[in-house]
Amino acid sequence: MTPYLFIGPALLLLVAFSFLPIIIALVISFTDMNIGGLANWSQISFVGISNFIRLFQDPVFLQSMWNTLLYVVIGVPLAIISSFVIALFLKLVTDRMSSTFRVIYYMPSITNIVAIAVVWGFLYNQQYGLFNYLLSMVDLQAVPWLEHPFVAKISLIIMAVWKSNGVSMLIFLAALQSIPRIYYEAADIDGANRWQKLWNITLPSMRFATFFVTVTTLIAWLQFFEEPFVMTDGGPLNGTNSIALFIYQEGFQSSEFGYGASASFVLFAIIIVATLVQFKFRKADQ
Amino acid sequence: MKKHQVFKTVSVLAASSFVLAACSSGGGSGGNESSDDTITVWTMTDGLDEFVQEYEDESGTTVEVQAIPWENAHDKIVTAVASGDGPDVLQVGTTWVAEFADAGTFQDLSDYTDEYDNLSSDNFYDTAVETTKYEDQTIGVPWYVDTRALFYRTDILEDAGYPDGPKTWDDMVDASEQLTARGDDQYAIDLLADDPQFPFVMAWEQGWDYDLDKGAENFDDPAFQEAIELHHTFYGEGYSQLGEGKEFFQAFADGSKPMFISGPWDIQTIEERAPEIEGDWDVTLMPEAETNDSMMGGAHWTVFNNSEKTEEALDFINWMSAPETQVKWYEDHSELPANLEAWEDPVLKDDDKISTFGEQLEHTKPLPLVPEYEQMGQELLSTLEQINRNDADIDKSLDEYQQEVSRILGE
């Protein structure tokens, strides 16, 4: 009984604040609950799967799905590779430089997203922003950073990669530090070059860290929310809307709780599937 | 195996009691259980806390003020409605009245308004009072009002032949053409691209009006289409900038955007942010087509549905509605009094720009008083974005908009 006693409180919290809300949300997703229904439960009626049917006919939702897919497909590899490369370089340079740059790369992760949005909003300004100014110095045309639906997506990805590098970099760095030196010494004796050492020692030893970072990054990017919320509000022309932002807009701005909840279940399903697929790959890998 | 069973039962019981406890203790944090001479007030305006001290001294009631930023206010009220755990007195924006009244958030004050000196509906702007009504109920008392008027640069508009600002929408288009012709990066006016109220204002001016009985049919009106076409003209011809350009007050100061439509709070903002153009700008009434109606905005005081302190709450609201209090609030916070008598005070009357707003307030309409208004407005904004950014066909977009509204209204 004792072990249960110890994990009991944590389990209770998990049930009360995670599982229960999920079940309640699932129930809500089959109803037409809105703000009127919130105050007076008798106004709520069961609508079956019509919310889900409407979702897949809603061009705004379909566009958000497509945008989210793009965020994930472009953003996740970029975020993982860039933080990995940063970690590798930090390992190479001297200790003092390494700690300076660790601070620099970690800084965006602890900066408030609203502050970041304001600053990047200035950088991205089509007419007066720093980026377009730099481009004009080399005679390149102004880029409509946040004014064109597709370019705006890329702009948000760049910003999000920059912001998310810090945490993944730390994990990679920790994994790098924990690789026993003797492997490299042995490789040196065998006359291996840098690439061979990277390919045959470093990468395989970091497999678990990479897996962890991939899973968490993928989930985070599927839930892409803050960047479009504070920078573009899903615009222009819905080009940066994500599923998570769609849920917020329907659920909390329009108070269509039932519809929002059903969208959140679509996202939930996507995340579960994506994670399961990765675990499958990992199993096959071992 | 047996251990498992026991554990399951225990955890299920514990979990459910935990949840029940969480629900029942919800009431504790609100104002409902506090002592008798305390009322809780939720407001979206900073500074009310110090302002009510005078009332506290006079009445002996303690007023607990909680200031919520506008951005979070909607969520916060929704939560209060859901949990039934709200304040005694609640400020609410005019456009939220129908939505929250429909959810039963407020007490009906119809029977009380005659019992208090300052609460009679004769004391306030008619349109402001209109926005406190929902389905035969009076759910609030106007606190402050606001409306939109046209800000313009006198020096630049004089060159275009409109020293007193454009009076009609035809003048407006004519002036805009000249102003845009001044060169690259020169615009005529900064339109409110993310303000869902503004397209409705333009439509009223074309002679359109929202009829509660007609629902989505309202948007079939040719006058509405005219307004949307006019709106598109400003973007199509480059009179207004589509994306985010220069910092706005800088653009107003250097003359590249010599006009904009906004509320009274921007008088002070221009004085602070662009002091170098003092004397070179003014405020005038909205341009006229069929009418020059602007919107009736602002906020009301309401009493939350399960407050047990209706009398105390109304006494407080009564104090806030007194002409003297309203003038003082204007002096402290630049928010325009809803009380008509307060407008007789020289502080307001002798200020040219403010009295323009006073005059505009006489020509106002309430926004559609339906619970779905917010959604209707947001949909209209995305329809306009399709038209202005994507060159979508206006007829077709409006048809789609009408269908969407019809769905939102549940027709």
Side-chain angles (χ1 to χ4, degrees):
Chain A
M1 208 50 201
T2 338
Y4 296 125
L5 212 64
F6 280 109
I7 59 166
L11 257 178
L12 276 184
L13 289 174
L14 201 66
V15 169
F17 293 107
S18 290
F19 294 141
L20 211 68
I22 290 175
I23 294 165
I24 293 173
L26 183 64
V27 174
I28 291 175
S29 72
F30 294 114
T31 67
D32 64 349
M33 184 164 167
N34 56 19
I35 182 162
L38 201 59
N40 180 1
W41 289 6
S42 63
Q43 282 185 25
I44 304 173
S45 50
F46 183 78
V47 295
I49 57 163
S50 73
N51 277 335
F52 291 92
I53 295 171
R54 200 180 120 204
L55 268 184
F56 287 98
Q57 290 167 347
D58 185 341
V60 179
F61 182 71
L62 295 178
Q63 170 93 46
S64 315
M65 292 249 282
W66 171 244
N67 292 339
T68 308
L69 182 74
L70 266 178
Y71 287 138
V72 168
V73 168
I74 303 175
V76 172
L78 257 185
I80 295 170
I81 293 169
S82 67
S83 52
F84 185 81
V85 170
I86 291 169
L88 271 186
F89 278 122
L90 286 181
K91 188 83 197 312
L92 287 179
V93 295
T94 59
D95 271 356
R96 170 176 290 188
M97 253 172 80
S98 170
S99 40
T100 317
F101 277 96
R102 250 180 302 183
V103 171
I104 291 175
Y105 284 113
Y106 196 68
M107 203 73 99
S109 308
I110 52 166
T111 309
N112 187 306
I113 180 75
V114 178
I116 289 179
V118 171
V119 174
W120 280 72
F122 285 133
L123 295 177
Y124 278 146
N125 188 308
Q126 196 178 339
Q127 265 179 302
Y128 305 92
L130 179 70
F131 291 155
N132 277 348
Y133 175 72
L134 293 177
L135 289 178
S136 73
M137 305 253 283
V138 288
D139 280 330
L140 284 172
Q141 270 204 324
V143 174
W145 295 106
L146 295 175
E147 311 293 340
H148 183 280
F150 184 76
V151 182
K153 266 192 279 277
I154 305 297
S155 304
L156 290 190
I157 290 174
I158 295 172
M159 186 177 106
V161 166
W162 172 81
K163 182 173 158 54
S164 70
N165 268 340
V167 180
S168 320
M169 172 205 76
L170 275 193
I171 295 167
F172 279 133
L173 211 54
L176 272 178
Q177 313 277 24
S178 66
I179 302 172
R181 295 201 66 83
I182 44 170
Y183 293 171
Y184 293 103
E185 283 162 10
D188 282 336
I189 293 168
D190 289 343
N193 65 24
R194 270 194 182 176
W195 287 111
Q196 284 167 326
K197 280 191 274 184
L198 175 72
W199 196 253
N200 295 314
I201 302 173
T202 315
L203 282 178
S205 317
M206 289 181 52
R207 211 176 263 160
F208 188 72
T210 318
F211 175 69
F212 176 77
V213 170
T214 313
V215 173
T216 49
T217 312
L218 186 83
I219 294 177
W221 280 75
L222 280 169
Q223 297 175 335
F224 201 65
F225 172 75
E226 289 169 321
E227 285 80 1
F229 179 61
V230 294
M231 288 285 282
T232 57
D233 202 16
L237 294 172
N238 223 12
T240 58
N241 213 340
S242 65
I243 302 183
L245 184 58
F246 179 86
I247 295 168
Y248 176 81
Q249 286 167 341
E250 289 298 333
F252 299 100
Q253 288 181 333
S254 310
S255 303
E256 290 223 36
F257 302 112
Y259 194 47
S262 58
S264 77
F265 264 88
V266 174
L267 180 60
F268 182 74
I270 294 174
I271 290 176
I272 293 280
V273 169
T275 313
L276 284 181
V277 166
Q278 286 186 68
F279 272 94
K280 260 266 149 11
F281 269 123
R282 168 131 179 97
K283 277 237 176 77
D285 211 27
Q286 278 172 337
Chain B
M1 204 50 201
K2 209 164 186 192
K3 263 184 181 176
H4 268 283
Q5 292 288 315
V6 173
F7 168 65
K8 261 190 194 161
T9 329
V10 169
S11 61
V12 166
L13 278 177
S16 46
S17 62
F18 189 88
V19 173
L20 288 176
C23 294
S24 61
S25 68
S29 57
N32 306 332
E33 290 165 20
S34 48
S35 61
D36 286 343
D37 52 356
T38 304
I39 56 169
T40 48
V41 176
W42 283 4
T43 175
M44 286 67 126
T45 319
D46 276 330
L48 187 71
D49 212 357
E50 297 95 66
F51 189 79
V52 294
Q53 256 168 18
E54 201 183 315
Y55 173 74
E56 292 181 307
D57 295 342
E58 271 175 31
S59 64
T61 306
T62 311
V63 182
E64 250 174 55
V65 177
Q66 190 179 349
I68 313 161
W70 274 109
E71 304 88 70
N72 306 339
H74 194 272
D75 292 354
K76 177 100 179 167
I77 303 176
V78 170
T79 322
V81 173
S83 62
D85 180 23
D88 297 307
V89 179
L90 172 65
Q91 175 190 352
V92 65
T94 47
T95 53
W96 294 351
V97 165
E99 182 186 353
F100 287 115
D102 192 50
T105 313
F106 315 114
Q107 292 186 17
D108 182 7
L109 304 179
S110 309
D111 299 337
Y112 295 99
T113 46
D114 292 334
E115 288 176 29
Y116 292 84
D117 301 343
N118 303 323
L119 302 188
S120 159
S121 55
D122 301 337
N123 294 345
F124 306 101
Y125 280 102
D126 288 342
T127 18
V129 173
E130 215 176 305
T131 58
T132 65
K133 308 259 192 226
Y134 182 73
E135 292 184 348
D136 304 329
Q137 294 183 6
T138 300
I139 56 84
V141 177
W143 175 21
Y144 63 81
V145 290
D146 86 63
T147 189
R148 306 283 186 270
L150 179 69
F151 288 69
Y152 69 103
R153 287 285 299 271
T154 44
D155 48 348
I156 296 171
L157 265 291
E158 187 163 5
D159 294 341
Y162 298 98
D164 299 320
K167 291 278 169 253
T168 66
W169 276 103
D170 289 340
D171 290 355
M172 189 76 167
V173 172
D174 176 52
S176 299
E177 202 178 334
Q178 297 180 48
L179 292 167
T180 311
R182 289 178 297 165
D184 281 348
D185 294 335
Q186 299 292 320
Y187 302 94
I189 182 167
D190 190 62
L191 288 184
L192 307 155
D194 52 3
D195 180 352
Q197 289 137 19
F198 180 62
F200 288 104
V201 173
M202 282 186 88
W204 292 331
E205 283 157 5
Q206 301 300 325
W208 176 81
D209 199 4
Y210 188 85
D211 180 350
L212 283 178
D213 300 328
K214 274 165 67 184
E217 283 279 300
N218 276 304
F219 300 101
D220 208 15
D221 192 324
F224 190 79
Q225 180 157 357
E226 259 170 62
I228 301 303
E229 276 163 8
L230 182 62
H231 189 269
H232 181 56
T233 307
F234 281 87
Y235 290 107
E237 302 288 330
Y239 301 158
S240 289
Q241 188 175 15
L242 251 186
E244 183 144 344
K246 207 180 287 185
E247 201 272 326
F248 178 73
F249 290 97
Q250 202 186 339
F252 188 64
D254 72 14
S256 57
K257 289 180 185 168
M259 291 189 280
F260 69 102
I261 289 164
S262 186
W265 57 86
D266 270 334
I267 295 176
Q268 205 187 347
T269 319
I270 301 176
E271 280 164 1
E272 280 164 12
R273 304 275 290 276
E276 67 272 25
I277 54 167
E278 204 195 319
D280 283 340
W281 61 277
D282 205 353
V283 186
T284 184
L285 300 184
M286 289 295 289
E288 188 166 349
E290 296 286 316
T291 70
N292 69 344
D293 286 335
S294 189
M295 59 166 278
M296 173 53 82
H300 305 318
W301 286 120
T302 64
V303 181
F304 199 73
N305 59 11
N306 61 358
S307 164
E308 283 157 13
K309 294 180 183 156
T310 315
E311 305 278 319
E312 292 88 338
L314 283 167
D315 190 61
F316 168 72
I317 297 174
N318 187 48
W319 181 78
M320 285 302 296
S321 306
E324 326 59 274
T325 322
Q326 295 240 312
V327 172
K328 191 157 177 295
W329 180 255
Y330 164 74
E331 286 178 302
D332 283 7
H333 291 90
S334 310
E335 281 170 340
L336 303 179
N339 186 302
L340 289 168
E341 207 183 313
W343 281 90
E344 299 300 322
D345 193 282
V347 177
L348 288 133
K349 215 178 178 182
D350 296 348
D351 185 321
D352 278 348
K353 295 188 175 82
I354 288 297
S355 54
T356 304
F357 276 100
E359 201 183 324
Q360 181 73 65
L361 279 164
E362 309 274 350
H363 306 278
T364 49
K365 277 202 170 79
L367 288 150
L369 297 165
V370 290
E372 297 85 0
Y373 164 73
E374 288 273 313
Q375 271 172 285
M376 259 163 55
Q378 288 304 327
E379 280 301 328
L380 183 54
L381 281 185
S382 33
T383 307
L384 282 171
E385 202 188 13
Q386 287 291 344
I387 295 170
N388 292 332
R389 251 181 208 277
N390 225 8
D391 279 321
D393 183 63
I394 294 183
D395 277 341
K396 202 167 150 261
S397 305
L398 280 180
D399 275 349
E400 283 167 13
Y401 176 63
Q402 201 187 329
Q403 281 169 23
E404 190 61 26
V405 171
S406 172
R407 191 196 58 72
I408 292 172
L409 293 175
E411 284 171 358

